[in-house]
Amino acid sequence: EVQLVESGGGLVQPARSLRLSCTASGFTFGDYAMHWVRQAPGKGLELVSSISWNSATIVYADAVKGRFTISRENAKSSLYLQMNNVRAEDTAFYYCAKGMGAPRTQLWLPFDYWGQGTLVTVSS
Amino acid sequence: SIELTQPPSVSVSPGQTASVTCSGHKLGGMYVSWYQQKTGQSPVLVIYQDKQRPSGIPERFSGSNSENTATLTISGTQPMDEADYYCQTWDSTSGVFGTGTRVTVL
């Protein structure tokens, strides 16, 4: 059974940093693209960042470019999101999502499994 | 990047057909996925590549995509289908979600 478990959320002050983690199980983590998707309370979904299976391709939403960094450790089946200089508008649930498709293929595929999310609240 | 517009809400009676549209410039030339999100839960993929259903998704969910509009159709809608639905596509290097539609089963 595929499982994605996010952690690291919480209350953080504006301009500070936070690191989110996603631990995966039930599939060969190193073979698939991974993504972070966020959802502000009561709002829609927004793709924050994506990383290919081998970390060769990384993309960011314009809203977080230059502030957030996505990374992965395939040996630990783990995905990370380093969030620097956070802003009030970064307040959201952050979901880790697995890319669909055959192993070691392109990044631009649907998200077939999602974690339960971790809430990040940016406030002084 | 492309903008995907959905109606804020759709109401349907149990057993009837619900249609949710997703509009975007030349969307028919891209693959569209649809996600269902029930209150307090994580999104679930219900349609990918315009019309394909992942395993475990009921046959009453179907999809189409042509020109500038993709459509999610729920045939014989059940009360358990009440949820928010989001379309999604990839525009060059940007993953884009639609604005979301609340489907209410009255």
Side-chain angles (χ1 to χ4, degrees):
Chain A
E1 178 192 8
V2 172
Q3 286 197 325
L4 300 171
V5 179
E6 302 93 339
S7 60
L11 177 65
V12 59
Q13 293 180 329
R16 303 299 291 267
S17 297
L18 198 65
R19 190 195 199 202
L20 306 183
S21 299
C22 170
T23 301
S25 61
F27 66 102
T28 305
F29 178 81
D31 280 352
Y32 295 92
M34 296 296 297
H35 311 269
W36 287 101
V37 179
R38 70 183 180 183
Q39 185 173 36
K43 302 298 184 181
L45 300 172
E46 179 186 19
L47 181 61
V48 173
S49 184
S50 303
I51 185 168
S52 62
W53 62 275
N54 58 357
S55 302
T57 303
I58 290 175
V59 297
Y60 297 99
D62 287 343
V64 307
K65 208 170 289 184
R67 300 188 298 120
F68 290 9
T69 302
I70 191 172
S71 62
R72 63 190 298 164
E73 274 190 86
N74 290 343
K76 294 185 177 181
S77 295
S78 294
L79 176 73
Y80 306 103
L81 186 68
Q82 178 67 41
M83 306 168 62
N84 296 333
N85 189 23
V86 297
R87 305 167 179 167
E89 54 265 36
D90 296 322
T91 294
F93 282 94
Y94 284 75
Y95 295 100
C96 164
K98 172 184 169 292
M100 196 176 189
R104 305 192 179 195
T105 53
Q106 60 173 313
L107 187 67
W108 334 111
L109 293 171
F111 319 118
D112 58 355
Y113 291 95
W114 298 62
Q116 287 303 303
T118 187
L119 178 61
V120 173
T121 303
V122 181
S123 175
S124 54
Chain B
S1 61
I2 191 172
E3 292 185 359
L4 300 179
T5 302
Q6 300 179 231
S9 62
V10 167
S11 296
V12 60
S13 300
Q16 298 304 302
T17 296
S19 295
V20 181
T21 58
C22 173
S23 299
H25 184 61
K26 296 184 178 180
L27 185 59
M30 310 170 192
Y31 276 136
V32 174
S33 302
W34 289 91
Y35 299 86
Q36 174 194 69
Q37 187 179 31
K38 297 182 179 180
T39 302
Q41 298 184 19
S42 303
V44 172
L45 178 68
V46 294
I47 292 289
Y48 68 98
Q49 289 184 358
D50 298 338
K51 58 184 180 182
Q52 304 301 319
R53 278 180 292 104
S55 61
I57 300 302
E59 290 185 7
R60 63 180 180 273
F61 289 90
S62 62
S64 63
N65 185 17
S66 178
E67 297 188 358
N68 299 309
T69 303
T71 303
L72 172 70
T73 302
I74 311 173
S75 305
T77 307
Q78 298 187 9
M80 69 173 67
D81 301 329
E82 187 162 283
D84 294 327
Y85 291 84
Y86 297 90
C87 58
Q88 184 264 331
T89 192
W90 289 94
D91 176 18
S92 63
T93 61
S94 301
V96 181
F97 285 96
T99 51
T101 298
R102 170 66 57 90
V103 172
T104 302
V105 183
L106 298 173

